[in-house]
Amino acid sequence: MKELDVLLERFCDQIVPTIGEADTQAFEKLLDANDLELNAWILGRSPPPDPETASLIEKIRSLS
């Protein structure tokens, strides 16, 4: 999904350089999610699977 690519690219450019090791590992795990899951989490249609992913989703949402 092009929209996800844009959001994740912005996140990588602006936020990833400032996050710690735990968030970096959570982000790598988040990238394994399929587009439909990720889209549902970002749009709030379903909850992320764990608190670390939820925290990253909130950071991604803050960029839109």
Side-chain angles (χ1 to χ4, degrees), residues 1-63:
M1 296 181 147
K2 181 67 174 170
E3 297 83 4
L4 289 176
D5 293 345
V6 170
L7 278 175
L8 292 177
E9 182 178 348
R10 192 177 310 153
F11 181 76
C12 286
D13 290 344
Q14 296 178 16
I15 305 297
V16 169
T18 68
I19 62 177
E21 182 64 29
D23 279 341
T24 300
Q25 290 176 356
F27 183 62
E28 289 172 358
K29 190 170 103 175
L30 179 132
L31 293 177
D32 288 334
N34 69 51
D35 285 354
L36 294 176
E37 286 177 312
L38 190 53
N39 190 47
W41 298 337
I42 290 172
L43 295 177
R45 292 184 179 149
S46 68
D50 54 63
E52 295 82 11
T53 302
S55 174
L56 286 175
I57 294 297
E58 286 304 315
K59 290 175 184 172
I60 293 169
R61 283 182 186 159
S62 74
L63 296 174

